[in-house]
Amino acid sequence: MTIKTSASLLASNLAQLALEISRCKKSGVDWVHFDVMDGVFVDQITYGSPVLKTVRASTDMFLDVHLMVEDPTKQIALFADAGADLITIHVESFCNIGEVLKDIRKRGKKVALAVKPKTPIEAVYPYLHLCDMVLVMTVEPGYGGQAFMPETVSKIASLRKTADTLGMKELDIQVDGGISEKTAEAVKKAGANVLVAGTSLFKSENMKETNDALKNAV
Ligand code: DX5
Ligand code: ZN
């Protein structure tokens, strides 16, 4: 599968968002990852759909929205209208998961379901047929810059095997948290093909070189 990178804006200079996004594009980054935190599902509060709307106006890059919110139900219409290309909800959130995933699809957006490190990967299986992508969190959601959790690698491998068995060879598997040149190899070998990277991309000396290294490391 083609390996894609998605730059997590959390690690960018938020006072210069449009410039940071154009830096991603010039460096060959594939997607922009937009982490939405509500202060309930996780401690921090980041940004919401009005900010996404300004991001949309500043770029034609693919916008990957990761909702870390207690109840995403009402957010789908807001983020879809604001210009998201893909919306991810958490399987641990409090909503009718199947109905919310269908709502994302109905609005013409790519659909994804995320799972926290301590939640068994089997939790997403009842919803796989509704998804274009599964996000396997490789750190506890809530903060950028955390250390990669190696125990999540076996979950990626189980998911890839299950998807293949079900004939879902095109399922994207995204990983998020602590992804760097060092950790990319293990997650890709296990079957991940969309790599979210915040710190490693934005804090690198040369974003293009780091992006190439993330994509090529095997
Ligand atoms: C964590 C977020 C991640 C985070 C990744 O809750 O979902 O997207 O920004 O940041 P790094 O790559 O720095 O671990
Ligand atoms: Zn994220």
Side-chain angles (χ1 to χ4, degrees), residues 69-91:
V69 303
E70 193 81 343
D71 180 358
T73 311
K74 289 187 196 156
Q75 299 305 317
I76 305 307
L78 293 169
F79 280 96
D81 292 349
D85 292 299
L86 175 150
I87 302 178
T88 302
I89 64 164
H90 265 267
V91 73

Side-chain angles (χ1 to χ4, degrees), residues 63-131:
L63 300 179
D64 155 28
V65 174
H66 177 193
L67 296 179
M68 285 163 276
V69 303
E70 193 81 343
D71 180 358
T73 311
K74 289 187 196 156
Q75 299 305 317
I76 305 307
L78 293 169
F79 280 96
D81 292 349
D85 292 299
L86 175 150
I87 302 178
T88 302
I89 64 164
H90 265 267
V91 73
E92 301 88 356
S93 60
F94 292 92
C95 68
N96 185 327
I97 302 289
E99 288 308 310
V100 175
L101 293 174
K102 283 181 199 159
D103 189 30
I104 300 172
R105 174 83 62 211
K106 199 181 78 193
R107 293 171 195 279
K109 309 299 178 182
K110 294 272 188 198
V111 181
L113 189 58
V115 56
K116 298 206 277 186
K118 294 196 179 72
T119 303
I121 193 63
E122 288 75 17
V124 305
Y125 292 170
Y127 307 105
L128 274 190
H129 63 291
L130 300 172
C131 297

Side-chain angles (χ1 to χ4, degrees), residues 8 10 33-37 64-68 90 135 137 141-142 174-177 196:
S8 169
L10 216 50
H33 185 82
F34 192 85
D35 286 302
V36 180
M37 304 186 186
D64 155 28
V65 174
H66 177 193
L67 296 179
M68 285 163 276
H90 265 267
L135 164 51
M137 291 297 302
Q174 186 178 53
V175 283
D176 183 9
V196 175

Side-chain angles (χ1 to χ4, degrees), residues 14 41 52 54 56-57 68 89 104 106 110 114-115 123 126 148 150 156 165-166 168 171 174 184 197 208:
L14 293 171
F41 188 77
L52 189 79
T54 67
R56 174 77 293 161
M68 285 163 276
I89 64 164
I104 300 172
K106 199 181 78 193
K110 294 272 188 198
V115 56
F148 175 78
I156 301 164
T165 308
L166 293 172
M168 297 184 70
L171 182 81
Q174 186 178 53
K208 188 179 178 329

Side-chain angles (χ1 to χ4, degrees), residues 151-207:
E151 60 268 38
T152 58
V153 172
S154 61
K155 292 170 68 178
I156 301 164
S158 303
L159 173 61
R160 181 55 78 200
K161 201 171 158 203
T162 301
D164 284 352
T165 308
L166 293 172
M168 297 184 70
K169 294 206 184 297
E170 298 306 308
L171 182 81
D172 283 321
I173 300 182
Q174 186 178 53
V175 283
D176 183 9
I179 301 299
S180 66
E181 292 160 64
K182 288 197 186 107
T183 56
E185 186 176 338
V187 292
K188 287 199 285 186
K189 270 193 184 151
N193 67 306
V194 185
L195 312 181
V196 175
T199 308
S200 64
L201 279 175
F202 285 103
K203 310 291 183 213
S204 72
E205 296 273 306
N206 184 324
M207 188 187 270

